Amino acid sequence: MLRIVTPPASYPVTLTEAKAQLRVASGDTSNDAIITALIPAATKFCQSLVQRVFVLQTLEWVLPCWRDVLDLPIAPVLADQVASVKYVDWVGQTQHTLATSAYVVQTKGESVRIVPKFGTCWPLVFTRSPEPVVIRFDAGYEDPADLPANVKVAILLMLRHLYTMGEASLILTSDTVFGVGQQQFAVPADLATLIPDAVRNLMLDEVW
């Protein structure tokens, strides 16, 4: 289980940028609440496609037992961003923080793995505990300027898709025109998937 301890303080897309993408006038605040809520939704959708987080945040990875090598399941993470490794000991069945001298944090590119110090092994853990092993670390881009441009474009596109999903005319095939009557429109069958597919293609280079 991966959970957020401290959420990001901001997101890659600002409200101003989102409104510009949606062609909402800057002075029109009537939909600010829904647009603000959709920004993290669009961001998290893009993150889920590539197993990354785009903005710095604190996470905890909860494990049912030790693994020979603890490969953190998300990127980017730096070695100095691993805050603690905690475990529930077998004898006292209480949680302890493992001394940093007992393990080694290794980095390879943007990924991190944790292994026992050479010549040692992980301490005995009480596996019937609700949270036998908990690793806390920070992940994400420390400087928003380092975020690839295609990621921001993908988030903006997904934001547009989510916003327009609430419009009655998203995949309109007919409408009543005053003075004319019922009119039929030719709409591509894959209209509802065009933007999500484009977002997935934009994110291919970021797959971790």
Side-chain angles (χ1 to χ4, degrees):
M1 176 179 67
L2 194 64
R3 65 188 175 203
I4 298 174
V5 177
T6 305
S10 61
Y11 287 92
V13 172
T14 65
L15 178 60
T16 300
E17 291 171 327
K19 292 173 76 169
Q21 169 69 12
L22 300 174
R23 294 181 174 82
V24 175
S26 58
D28 181 0
T29 61
S30 59
N31 286 327
D32 279 9
I34 184 63
I35 296 172
T36 300
L38 289 175
I39 291 173
T43 302
K44 290 176 181 178
F45 176 85
C46 293
Q47 289 178 164
S48 68
L49 294 175
V50 293
Q51 211 168 335
R52 288 177 177 270
V53 288
F54 301 138
V55 186
L56 195 62
Q57 54 198 277
T58 301
L59 304 170
E60 281 186 343
W61 186 28
V62 181
L63 294 164
C65 61
W66 293 114
R67 297 178 182 176
D68 292 340
V69 177
L70 301 173
D71 289 299
L72 297 188
I74 204 99
V77 181
L78 301 177
D80 61 1
Q81 291 176 329
V82 177
S84 65
V85 177
K86 297 184 179 182
Y87 70 99
V88 178
D89 76 286
W90 176 265
V91 178
Q93 299 178 14
T94 56
Q95 189 181 64
H96 297 273
T97 300
L98 191 63
T100 55
S101 59
Y103 59 88
V104 177
V105 180
Q106 301 175 336
T107 59
K108 183 179 181 181
E110 295 179 313
S111 63
V112 162
R113 69 176 188 170
I114 305 171
V115 296
K117 188 176 181 180
F118 182 74
T120 68
C121 59
W122 298 120
L124 288 175
V125 64
F126 184 60
T127 56
R128 294 187 178 181
S129 166
E131 298 185 355
V133 178
V134 180
I135 303 170
R136 179 175 290 200
F137 60 97
D138 292 335
Y141 291 90
E142 293 183 283
D143 186 352
D146 294 335
L147 192 67
N150 59 305
V151 171
K152 193 165 185 176
V153 172
I155 293 172
L156 285 169
L157 280 177
M158 196 61 205
L159 177 66
R160 169 174 285 280
H161 177 71
L162 294 173
Y163 186 74
T164 55
M165 285 294 289
E167 297 181 358
S169 59
L170 175 63
I171 50 175
L172 184 67
T173 56
S174 66
D175 194 12
T176 301
V177 181
F178 181 75
V180 177
Q182 192 79 3
Q183 298 293 303
Q184 299 294 323
F185 300 89
V187 179
D190 61 349
L191 178 62
T193 63
L194 285 176
I195 293 180
D197 287 346
V199 169
R200 290 184 177 89
N201 289 334
L202 279 169
M203 298 302 296
L204 285 177
D205 285 345
E206 308 305 319
V207 173
W208 174 69

